[in-house]
Amino acid sequence: MKTVKLTQVFIRSLARQTRAYTIQDSLCHGLGVKVMPDKPMQYVISRLIDNRTRTRILAPVSALTVKAAREKATEQLQAWREEHAQPSMSASPRFDVFVEQTWKPMIFDHWKPSTKRSVLPALNRRLLAHFGRYPLHMINHKMVQAWFDEISKTRKGAANRNLDTLQSVFKLALRQGHCLTNPCIGIRQNKRRVLNRFLSVAEMQRLSVALDECEEVGGSIAQCADILRLLLLTGCRLSEITFLKGEYVRGNELHLPDSKTGAKVLYIGQAAVDILSRYHCKANTELFPMKLGASTSLVQSLWLRLRKQIGIEDVRLHDLRHTFASYAVMDGCSIPMVASLLGHKKVTMTLRYTHVGDDSVEQAAEVIGAVFKGIFTQSEPLKPYIPQTNEAPTPAVKVKQKRLPERKPTAKPKPKAVKKVKQVKPLQTPTSLTKEELRAIQRFRDSKLFL
C-alpha cells in the first residue's frame, strides 16, 4: 500500500480508477484516504488489534482537513487501545541515544550547513535537555504540549522552530516502529507576526548619521557599520554578508555557494561594490576577518544599540531586507525582478517582503477616487487609461498588405445606331427657269421619290 505525506493538494489530485484503492499517510500511522470509483473519497483509519485488522471510516474528505483528520485518527487509535486493553510498547531507545545514533546520520547530516547552524543550538539546549532521558514510547502528546506552551511564553518563534525539529525526530521514530503515534500531531503552532515594518526616509537618514559616527570609531565597530550598510543596500541576510569571501565577489555579482535557498547569484549596486572594495584579502579568506560567529553576534549587539539611539526599537535586523524590497517595489520594480534581487526561487516568498508606505497608499486612494468622480460627473465616455512608463514607445509594426490586381474598366455599351431619314434637299432653282419649267421638274422628282 502506497504511503505519502497527505496534503489537500495531493488529495485533490487523486484520480478515480475502476477499483477502489487506499493511500496511507506517512505522518499518522494507520490513517489513509480511500478512493472509490462511484463514491466520494473518505478518510479511513486501520490498525492491527488482536491479530485482526480494524478499519473505520472517519469522515468524507470534504468534511475534514488533513490536520483535523490526523487528530481524529489519533483519538480513534487511543480509544481502540483502551477498549481492548492493548498494552503499550514496553521498550524503545532513549530520545538522546536515538537522536545521536539514528536521526543525525539519516536526517540531520543531509541538511544544509546554514540549517544545521540554526537547529543545533536549539536541539542541545531545549530538546535534548528536556526529552533526552525519556524512552521514545513514553513521550506522549500531553508532555509535548506542556513543553511547547512553556517555551511559547517567552519565545513564540523559537517554540515553532523547535516543534518542527521534534516532529522530524518522531517522524523517523514512527517509521522505524519505536513509537505508536507522533506526539507532535495536533499541536497548534503560534501565530506568526505580520511582517510589515520597514524604515521610512527620515529613519534611514538618522541611521546613516549613526553609521557615520560608528565608522569614525574604527576597528571592528566600523566593520560592523559597513555590514549594516550592505544589508540595507543589497537586501542580503546577515549570514550571507558576514561569511563573504573574496572569491565570492565578482564585479557587481555575489556568487554564494550556499544560502538559505541554496547556491545563488546576487546582483548588487555600485554603492555596495564601493564598500566591498575597501576590504582586500585572499580569495579563500573572509572579507570581514573575525572569529567564526563573533561577527554575527557583534553586528546584532551594535544594531540593538543603534536602534535604541535613533528611536526605532521595533525594527529588527531582518527588517532591513524588508526595507530593500519595499523601496524596490515602490520605485517601480516588478515582483519577479525583486525576487531575483533577493535570491528567491518562488515569487510567493517575495510577496511577504514587499510592502508599500502609507503615503503611497493614500496617493493611490486619491487617484482611484478622482477616476470614479470623473465617471460620475462626466457625460462623455472616458478615454481608455494608458499607463505611462519611462520606456520608449514601441514602434508600430508595418503590415504589408497584398495589392489587389487592378480591375480594367468595363467598356460602356455603345448606343444603338439610329436610322437616318433621308431629307429631301430643297430644290435649287436657277434664276433662268420659268414657272412652268419649275413645276414640271417638281412633278418629276416627286414621282421618283415615292415609287
Side-chain angles (χ1 to χ4, degrees):
M1 192 174 294
K2 190 176 181 181
T3 302
V4 296
K5 180 182 177 181
L6 293 180
T7 60
Q8 300 295 137
V9 177
F10 177 78
I11 292 174
R12 286 195 295 267
S13 66
L14 294 176
R16 299 179 184 274
Q17 298 180 4
T18 56
R19 298 179 61 184
Y21 65 96
T22 304
I23 303 294
Q24 292 286 342
D25 185 24
S26 60
L27 297 184
C28 182
H29 184 62
L31 176 64
V33 173
K34 188 173 183 180
V35 184
M36 292 172 286
D38 55 347
K39 294 182 181 180
M41 290 184 288
Q42 297 175 338
Y43 289 113
V44 295
I45 181 68
S46 59
R47 177 55 63 89
L48 184 64
I49 300 176
D50 295 335
N51 296 325
R52 226 176 106 200
T53 301
R54 293 285 303 272
T55 303
R56 183 174 180 179
I57 298 174
L58 297 178
V61 168
S62 58
L64 290 178
T65 62
V66 177
K67 186 175 181 180
R70 292 192 181 109
E71 295 176 0
K72 194 169 183 179
T74 303
E75 295 174 358
Q76 181 61 45
L77 292 174
Q78 183 65 26
W80 277 343
R81 281 195 295 269
E82 294 175 357
E83 179 183 351
H84 294 270
Q86 183 179 359
S88 59
M89 297 182 64
S90 59
S92 64
R94 281 178 37 143
F95 182 85
D96 53 359
V97 175
F98 178 77
V99 168
E100 293 295 333
Q101 297 182 359
T102 307
W103 180 76
K104 279 188 175 181
M106 295 183 64
I107 305 297
F108 181 80
D109 291 344
H110 297 281
W111 288 350
K112 294 181 298 184
S114 58
T115 307
K116 292 179 181 178
R117 287 193 297 267
S118 62
V119 169
L120 195 57
L123 181 66
N124 295 330
R125 295 174 189 173
R126 293 189 177 91
L127 295 180
L128 292 177
H130 191 85
F131 299 106
R133 66 182 185 275
Y134 292 101
L136 291 171
H137 72 279
M138 292 183 63
I139 302 175
N140 54 30
H141 178 84
K142 186 176 180 180
M143 291 175 58
V144 177
Q145 184 70 62
W147 164 82
F148 180 78
D149 293 340
E150 184 65 26
I151 300 177
S152 299
K153 293 179 181 178
T154 55
R155 303 190 64 182
K156 294 184 178 181
N160 291 342
R161 292 190 294 270
N162 294 338
L163 183 63
D164 292 337
T165 305
L166 184 63
Q167 191 164 7
S168 174
V169 174
F170 275 101
K171 191 188 301 183
L172 180 61
L174 185 63
R175 289 203 304 262
Q176 295 190 351
H178 298 309
C179 55
L180 297 176
T181 58
N182 189 339
C184 301
I185 295 177
I187 298 179
R188 294 180 178 272
Q189 291 194 351
N190 299 310
K191 292 184 178 180
R192 301 181 184 272
R193 191 180 71 172
V194 179
L195 304 176
N196 57 358
R197 182 67 167 97
F198 63 96
L199 296 176
S200 64
V201 175
E203 290 171 342
M204 285 194 292
Q205 291 174 349
R206 297 201 303 268
L207 177 61
S208 179
V209 173
L211 293 176
D212 291 338
E213 296 175 357
C214 293
E215 290 180 356
E216 294 177 359
V217 176
S220 59
I221 299 298
Q223 183 174 320
C224 292
D226 285 338
I227 292 176
L228 290 175
R229 288 188 186 276
L230 288 172
L231 293 179
L232 191 58
L233 291 171
T234 63
C236 292
R237 300 179 180 89
L238 178 59
S239 59
E240 295 172 352
I241 296 297
T242 54
F243 294 102
L244 270 180
K245 293 184 178 181
E247 59 184 357
Y248 300 164
V249 183
R250 303 176 188 176
N252 64 336
E253 297 178 358
L254 299 181
H255 293 256
L256 304 179
D258 181 48
S259 66
K260 185 178 179 180
T261 56
K264 62 184 178 182
V265 178
L266 295 178
Y267 300 92
I268 59 177
Q270 187 59 39
V273 174
D274 295 339
I275 296 177
L276 291 173
S277 62
R278 304 175 193 170
Y279 299 90
H280 301 283
C281 62
K282 296 180 182 180
N284 58 350
T285 57
E286 295 180 359
L287 287 178
F288 307 101
M290 295 184 185
K291 293 181 179 180
L292 187 63
S295 176
T296 301
S297 60
L298 190 58
V299 171
Q300 289 175 342
S301 61
L302 177 63
W303 173 253
L304 293 177
R305 181 166 62 85
L306 286 179
R307 72 177 190 175
K308 185 176 181 179
Q309 176 183 341
I310 62 179
I312 53 171
E313 297 185 10
D314 60 331
V315 179
R316 305 171 305 157
L317 191 61
H318 194 72
D319 289 332
L320 299 180
R321 182 173 170 87
H322 293 230
T323 303
F324 174 85
S326 299
Y327 276 87
V329 171
M330 288 189 290
D331 198 43
C333 297
S334 61
I335 298 297
M337 186 182 298
V338 178
S340 178
L341 291 172
L342 296 178
H344 286 160
K345 291 183 177 180
K346 297 181 179 179
V347 179
T348 53
M349 287 296 299
T350 311
L351 296 176
R352 296 176 54 199
Y353 288 79
T354 54
H355 317 292
V356 292
D358 295 336
D359 296 338
S360 301
V361 176
E362 183 178 355
Q363 184 179 1
E366 290 292 340
V367 171
I368 297 171
V371 170
F372 281 103
K373 185 177 180 181
I375 294 174
F376 297 149
T377 59
Q378 190 170 356
S379 58
E380 297 180 359
L382 295 176
K383 295 181 180 180
Y385 171 72
I386 301 176
Q388 297 180 358
T389 60
N390 297 328
E391 299 178 359
T394 306
V397 180
K398 295 183 178 180
V399 181
K400 292 184 178 180
Q401 297 181 353
K402 294 183 179 181
R403 299 184 65 179
L404 298 175
E406 297 182 357
R407 294 183 178 180
K408 295 181 180 181
T410 55
K412 295 182 179 179
K414 295 181 179 181
K416 295 182 179 180
V418 180
K419 293 183 178 180
K420 294 182 179 180
V421 179
K422 293 182 179 181
Q423 295 181 359
V424 180
K425 294 181 180 181
L427 181 63
Q428 296 180 359
T429 57
T431 58
S432 58
L433 295 177
T434 63
K435 291 183 179 179
E436 289 80 4
E437 292 175 345
L438 291 174
R439 289 181 187 139
I441 295 172
Q442 185 66 35
R443 286 195 298 272
F444 176 79
R445 295 187 64 179
D446 292 341
S447 62
K448 292 288 183 184
L449 182 64
F450 294 101
L451 285 177

